[in-house]
Amino acid sequence: MKRLKLAMLAMLALLTFSNVNAQDENNPWVVGFGINTVDVRIPTEFGDYLQDYIGTSEWGDNTLPSISRISAERYLADGFTLQLAGSINKIKTYRTEEDSDELYWAVDLTAKWDLNHLIGDTSWFDPYVYLGGGYTDFGRLAGDNFVDGGEGTLNAGLGFNVWFNDNIGLNFQTGGKKEFADKIQDHFQHSLGVVFRFGGKDTDGDGVYDKNDACPEVAGLKEFNGCPDADGDGIKDSDDACPNEAGTAALNGCPDGDGDGIADKDDACPTAAGTKAMNGCPDADGDGIADNKDKCPSQAGPAENGGCPWGDKDNDGVKDNVDKCPDVAGVASRQGCPEPKPVITEEAKKRLDGFARAIYFNSGKTTFRPGVKGKLDLIAGIMKEYKDANFNIEGHTDSQGANAANQRLSERRAKAVLDYLASHGVGGSRLSSVGFGEDYPIASNKTRAGRAQNRRVEINLKK
C-alpha cells in the first residue's frame, strides 16, 4: 500500500508538471492521459522477442482498468520533444514458476524526434521515435533472481499522434525497457491515450499562431495567414489598394462603381462609364473632350471652342472660327467678309461718261459753251453720291494748231472742269486733272466730225 501511495504521488506531480510538448512551436505543450500494459515474459530466443511483443496473452492480466499513464511534453526545436511520463500497473503474469499480483510503477524521461522532419510534414499525423531512460519498480517478485526495489532503465521505441483538431489527438506508443542491475526484468510497455496540446502564442487572438501569422498584432483570417481583410472582398489588406472598400482583384481590391475597368479612386467620373483616355469619363460625341468638360457633349467640336462645333452667325457658309467678318455675311474667297461695294456702279459710270461727252468749250478757249454747266452739275451730283470714288479728269484736243499749244489747252480745259466741280461740292482731294493734247484721238482729225469728237473731256476712276 505504501508503494501504491508513492506511485500516486508521482503521477500527481506529473499532472502539475510544466514541461509539456507539442508537435511544433505553435503549441509547445502537450499532456496525455491513457492506459498502459506491460509484458514481462522472459524471452529465451530471438523468436520469443517477437512472440513477446505481438502474441502476448497476458496483456489483459497486466493492465489496470483505469487511467494508468500520464505524460507531459515540451517541444524543443528541429522536431525534438522532451517527454516526462509516469505510469502504474499491476504485474500478475510473467514467465516464472508462479504468478503474482504486485504493483508496477515507472517514471521515464525520453527525447522524441518527429519523423515528419524526415518523411514530410502532415497536419494530422505525427509519427516519432524516442530514446531515453527512467526508473521502474516491479514491487516484490517471487523467485531467486528478483528482489524488492527498482532500478534505472534504458528506454527506446516509437509511436504516433493522430490529431483530430488543433488541440486534441490520440496517442499510441510502444517500446522496450532495458534493465542493468537485475533488480527488474527487461520488458515491453505499450500505451494508448488522449493527448491535449496547447500553449501556442496568438497575440491578436485570431486563431492563427504568431509563428504562422503574417500579421501577428492585427486580427485576421486563416486563409490570409492571419492578416485582415477589412472590406471582405477576398483580398488581404496588405495587398488591397482600397482596404476599406470592397473591390475586385483585377483592380487591386478597389471598387469600380460604373464598371468601366477604372478604379473609382482613379476615375474622374466614378458614376458614369468612360474610357481610360478620358480618365474614366465618357465622351458621347467622340470629339476627344470628356462630357463633363464638353459644353456640347452631344455634338463633336474642337477644344478651343469648348467642345462645341463652330457656328456661322452670319449664315454665309463660312464658320465663325475662320470668318474674318463673323457678324456680316460675306464670301469664302474673302474669309467670310463681304465683297467691297463698288465705288461707283456701272450704270452711274455710264451716266458720268455720257455727261462728260457733252462738255464743250468755246473754240480755242477754256470757257464752257452754253448748256455745259448743267451737265457739269449732273456730274457733280453723281460724284457726291459716290463719296468713296476718286476721279481723274482728262483733257483732249484735235490736231488743229501747234502741238504744244494743244497740250497747254488740254491741260487748262481739264483744270477748268476740276475747278467747277470742286466749287460745286465735290472735294478737291478726290479730283485730279491732266491734259493729253492731241495725242489720243478717238476719231479722224481729217474730218470736221472727227475733230469734234477728239475735242473732249473724259472722267475716269482713279485707282
Side-chain angles (χ1 to χ4, degrees), residues 342-345 380-391 425-427 429-431 461:
V343 292
I344 187 170
T345 64
I382 294 173
M383 288 183 174
K384 286 186 284 185
E385 181 180 356
Y386 295 95
K387 296 179 180 180
D388 293 331
N390 298 321
F391 301 94
V426 180
S429 62
R430 298 173 56 200
L431 302 174
L461 291 171

Side-chain angles (χ1 to χ4, degrees), residues 88 128 221 257 313 431 444:
I88 60 173
Y128 60 86
L221 305 173
K313 290 191 292 184
L431 302 174
S444 174

Side-chain angles (χ1 to χ4, degrees), residues 21 66 71 106 158 179 198 230 243 251 254 262-264 293 311 336 338 381 395 403 410 426 449-450:
N21 168 62
S66 64
S71 64
L158 53 85
E179 57 81 22
F198 58 92
L251 295 177
C254 289
I262 302 170
D264 288 352
K293 296 181 180 179
N403 186 14
S410 67
V426 180

Side-chain angles (χ1 to χ4, degrees), residues 12-95:
L12 182 61
L14 283 176
L15 285 173
T16 59
F17 187 78
S18 60
N19 288 340
V20 190
N21 168 62
Q23 296 309 300
D24 57 31
E25 54 268 32
N26 281 338
N27 278 307
W29 306 97
V30 170
V31 293
F33 304 90
I35 60 173
N36 77 98
T37 186
V38 178
D39 185 354
V40 294
R41 291 190 302 156
I42 302 172
T44 58
E45 298 178 0
F46 178 77
D48 290 335
Y49 280 99
L50 183 62
Q51 179 185 7
D52 230 13
Y53 185 74
I54 64 174
T56 299
S57 62
E58 296 85 354
W59 283 8
D61 294 332
N62 293 347
T63 303
L64 287 174
S66 64
I67 294 176
S68 58
R69 184 176 186 272
I70 300 175
S71 64
E73 305 177 4
R74 176 66 166 90
Y75 181 80
L76 301 177
D78 299 323
F80 285 99
T81 298
L82 188 65
Q83 181 188 76
L84 180 66
S87 56
I88 60 173
N89 218 315
K90 64 178 180 177
I91 302 298
K92 181 177 181 180
T93 303
Y94 59 97
R95 188 174 296 178

Side-chain angles (χ1 to χ4, degrees), residues 111-411:
K112 297 168 52 178
W113 186 65
D114 191 345
L115 291 176
N116 283 332
H117 282 68
L118 178 66
I119 64 177
D121 195 19
T122 65
S123 61
W124 61 274
F125 183 65
D126 289 331
Y128 60 86
V129 295
Y130 70 87
L131 179 67
Y135 184 86
T136 301
D137 192 326
F138 267 37
R140 182 175 60 83
L141 296 180
D144 296 335
N145 296 325
F146 303 99
V147 297
D148 285 344
E151 65 171 296
T153 59
L154 176 66
N155 305 339
L158 53 85
F160 60 83
N161 295 320
V162 177
W163 298 105
F164 304 127
N165 55 39
D166 286 342
N167 303 105
I168 302 175
L170 180 69
N171 171 258
F172 173 76
Q173 181 171 298
T174 181
K177 294 184 176 181
K178 172 66 177 175
E179 57 81 22
F180 296 100
D182 290 335
K183 290 186 178 183
I184 64 173
Q185 182 179 335
D186 295 344
H187 59 284
F188 294 109
Q189 186 176 29
H190 322 290
S191 63
L192 180 68
V194 178
V195 286
F196 304 89
R197 58 182 177 183
F198 58 92
K201 187 177 181 181
D202 180 12
T203 301
D204 54 22
D206 59 3
V208 181
Y209 296 115
D210 288 359
K211 173 181 179 291
N212 297 324
D213 198 329
C215 304
E217 297 182 355
V218 181
L221 305 173
K222 289 184 179 180
E223 55 266 35
F224 294 132
N225 295 325
C227 287
D229 175 19
D231 54 19
D233 59 4
I235 303 167
K236 64 181 180 180
D237 290 354
S238 60
D239 296 333
D240 197 328
C242 302
N244 297 314
E245 298 177 275
T248 64
L251 295 177
N252 295 324
C254 289
D256 176 17
D258 54 19
D260 58 5
I262 302 170
D264 288 352
K265 69 181 183 67
D266 300 322
D267 198 329
C269 301
T271 59
T275 64
K276 290 184 178 179
M278 295 288 106
N279 292 323
C281 290
D283 177 16
D285 53 20
D287 58 3
I289 304 169
D291 289 354
N292 63 335
K293 296 181 180 179
D294 197 330
K295 293 180 179 178
C296 301
S298 60
Q299 293 177 288
E304 55 267 30
N305 198 37
C308 292
W310 289 108
D312 180 12
K313 290 191 292 184
D314 54 18
N315 296 314
D316 60 1
V318 181
K319 297 297 183 183
D320 291 344
N321 61 313
V322 294
D323 196 330
K324 298 293 186 182
C325 302
D327 298 314
V328 180
V331 294
S333 61
R334 292 183 59 83
Q335 293 181 291
C337 288
E339 291 280 8
K341 291 182 179 180
V343 292
I344 187 170
T345 64
E346 287 297 324
E347 188 274 334
K349 183 66 171 62
K350 288 180 181 180
R351 289 167 55 210
L352 194 65
D353 290 343
F355 296 146
R357 284 194 296 271
I359 298 174
Y360 298 107
F361 295 90
N362 292 314
S363 178
K365 298 179 179 180
T366 60
T367 58
F368 302 113
R369 294 180 65 177
V372 170
K373 290 183 178 180
K375 301 297 182 182
L376 289 173
D377 291 339
L378 293 174
I379 291 172
I382 294 173
M383 288 183 174
K384 286 186 284 185
E385 181 180 356
Y386 295 95
K387 296 179 180 180
D388 293 331
N390 298 321
F391 301 94
N392 188 40
I393 302 168
E394 301 174 358
H396 299 271
T397 67
D398 59 22
S399 61
Q400 298 293 310
N403 186 14
N406 287 335
Q407 176 64 37
R408 288 192 297 273
L409 181 60
S410 67
E411 291 174 358

